[in-house]
Structures are given as structure tokens and as C-alpha cells.
Amino acid sequence: MTMGDDEGFELHPALAADCAVVGDLPLCRVLLMGDRNYPWVILVPRRPGLREIHELAPADLARFWGESTRLGRALMARFGGHKLNVAALGNVVPQLHVHHIVRFTGDPAWPRPVWGVMPVVPYADAERDARCAVLRELLGVGP
Amino acid sequence: MTMGDDEGFELHPALAADCAVVGDLPLCRVLLMGDRNYPWVILVPRRPGLREIHELAPADLARFWGESTRLGRALMARFGGHKLNVAALGNVVPQLHVHHIVRFTGDPAWPRPVWGVMPVVPYADAERDARCAVLRELLGVGP
């Protein structure tokens, strides 16, 4: 990856508003979704203008799935979930972003997909910061 | 891939009931979801016991994303959708299966994710067979 690959990337304002920034992996910005109903992490490849996974260049596609599987394993090991939901939807926010949501058989939306089911429950600031710190440690990324 | 890698794989009965089999790519069984509300294709890696994408062996992970991106590009080119939804949920049917759903700004669930929004609208037999034939041609797979 050359330094220039990030050029022109800006996080979509809707993602910036809804999420806390955990840090950057080599390809993706890592976000914590501001909803304490579920451990919910979003990966956003830092490339401008992307809408679909299949638009990633081949080397970035390999990076993306490397980062996604690493994140998925780490989340499931740390939070002990029953199922991971991985989804690239983007019907509302067009910038490519991929949800990784740890699901529990007792969570408020189970077994439905989470979108639109429960009202968002925001984190308290300290709880959000602590969760971001845990994620940084899991992924070995700086703030 | 050795021939033995498929050993022990059986399509989950719920997927077999809800979908038509399009054919097999080198890793995945390709299914057409029996809901004519959306062009909706499911990839199921033919490996026994998998529940999560991050459980795929490294070589299978690369195969999987190659097949997924090829399918995604082909679907979007053929059906002219506005957005592709790609999702591995599996809260109800545990066998790893990954949805690829072509979305249109005028489709019945837009912009919501499709699950649980609209009643399923079954294909007529001839329409389903024709769509499977189109998919086989797009992907170069036999029935």
C-alpha cells in the first residue's frame, strides 16, 4: 500500500455521527457503533468513492477479508457471542462500510437482524471509551 | 481443492426448502432464494460444520471472496440494481450461507434490509427455472 491510496478518503458524516473511531488497520478505519445493545464494529476501507465490496482492487480485497476475519475472530473470542453477523448493506449510507455485530441468543433483537428493530441505546462516554480501548488492544491499533 | 473437501457437506434442509439450486462453483453451492421481490442469490461453501466466514481455511476464504465478488459483479451487471446487499447472518439457519441481494430504490423493502419486511412472493416454476438458467450462464456453472 502506498501512502497515496488513502488520498481523498473522508469518513461519511452519517458514520462519523453514529460511531466512535477506534483506529486504523492497514486498509480499514475501525468504528464502534454507538449502540450498546450489541458489540457492533464497522470496517470502512479508506478508499474514496467505494460503494461495493466487489469494487475493491484485488490487493485491497485480500486486505479487507484479512482484516474482517481477524476482527471477527477477535470479537467472538472477546465477547463470547453466539453468532457474528457480517453485512455490507449501504442502502442509506452509500460509503462502503461493513457491519460486524456480535449476537447473543438473549439480545434484544434475536434472532432478527438488528436493523430497525430496537431503538439505539447510546453508551455512556466512559463505557464507550473503555470499549474502544478494548478494541484497540484486541486489534493492536492506536487511537 | 481435493475431491475430499466436500465430504460430509449437506445443504441445510431450511435452505433446500426455501431455495432452488443453481449449481456449484469450485467452493460454493449457488442458490436462488424463492422470493421474486428481489434478485436474491445465496452462496453456501461446501464444507461441513461451518457457521462463520472467519472459520473458512485461508485457501477457502480466498476462493469464497473470489466467488462472491464475481457473483456480485455479474448480478449488478445483469440486473442493473442500485445497491448490492451482501450479508452473512445465520441467526436462524446455522449453516454458513451468504446472501447477495440486488436492491432497487423502488423495491418493496427499500431502503430497509429485506429480512422480515415483506411476505415472500414465490416464483412461478417457469420463471424460477428461467432465472436459474440466466444465473448458470452468468456464472458458467452447470445445473
Side-chain angles (χ1 to χ4, degrees):
Chain A
M1 188 177 66
T2 66
M3 295 296 288
D5 285 353
D6 290 26
E7 203 172 344
F9 171 80
E10 282 187 59
L11 189 63
H12 191 285
L15 293 171
D18 292 344
C19 302
V21 174
V22 173
D24 282 353
L25 291 168
L27 177 64
C28 293
R29 184 147 301 164
V30 184
L31 307 176
L32 174 68
M33 178 70 168
D35 183 350
R36 70 188 300 288
N37 279 313
Y38 329 90
W40 183 341
V41 176
I42 297 176
L43 293 184
V44 184
R46 297 192 309 283
R47 300 288 181 262
L50 287 182
R51 297 183 68 232
E52 306 284 359
I53 292 172
H54 63 252
E55 294 169 355
L56 284 162
D60 281 344
L61 188 69
R63 280 185 195 104
F64 175 74
W65 289 111
E67 295 180 5
S68 172
T69 54
R70 187 177 153 214
L71 171 66
R73 286 188 200 110
L75 287 174
M76 293 296 274
R78 174 64 179 73
F79 295 102
H82 301 117
K83 189 70 191 70
L84 187 69
N85 291 172
V86 178
L89 303 176
N91 304 339
V92 176
V93 175
Q95 182 174 64
L96 177 60
H97 60 287
V98 185
H99 303 276
H100 295 68
I101 309 164
V102 180
R103 303 299 306 274
F104 300 87
T105 54
D107 75 38
W110 186 266
R112 292 165 291 177
V114 300
W115 298 274
V117 173
M118 300 296 298
V120 166
V121 179
Y123 287 101
D125 287 356
E127 189 185 23
R128 179 202 60 215
D129 293 348
R131 183 148 284 185
C132 284
V134 165
L135 292 169
R136 281 185 200 110
E137 190 183 340
L138 279 180
L139 298 173
V141 300
Chain B
M1 188 176 67
T2 66
M3 295 295 289
D5 286 352
D6 289 26
E7 204 172 344
F9 171 80
E10 282 188 61
L11 190 63
H12 191 285
L15 293 172
D18 292 345
C19 302
V21 175
V22 173
D24 282 353
L25 291 168
L27 177 64
C28 294
R29 184 146 300 162
V30 184
L31 308 175
L32 174 68
M33 178 69 168
D35 183 350
R36 69 187 301 289
N37 280 313
Y38 330 89
W40 183 341
V41 177
I42 296 176
L43 293 183
V44 184
R46 296 193 309 283
R47 300 288 181 260
L50 287 182
R51 297 182 69 234
E52 304 284 359
I53 292 172
H54 61 252
E55 293 169 355
L56 284 162
D60 281 345
L61 187 69
R63 281 186 194 103
F64 175 73
W65 289 113
E67 293 180 6
S68 172
T69 53
R70 186 176 153 215
L71 172 65
R73 285 188 200 110
L75 287 174
M76 293 296 274
R78 174 63 179 75
F79 294 102
H82 301 118
K83 190 70 191 72
L84 187 68
N85 291 171
V86 178
L89 303 177
N91 304 337
V92 176
V93 176
Q95 181 174 65
L96 177 60
H97 61 286
V98 185
H99 303 276
H100 294 69
I101 309 163
V102 180
R103 303 299 306 275
F104 299 88
T105 54
D107 75 37
W110 185 266
R112 291 165 292 176
V114 301
W115 298 275
V117 173
M118 299 297 298
V120 165
V121 179
Y123 287 100
D125 288 356
E127 188 185 23
R128 179 202 60 214
D129 293 348
R131 182 148 286 186
C132 285
V134 165
L135 292 169
R136 282 185 200 110
E137 190 184 341
L138 279 179
L139 297 173
V141 300

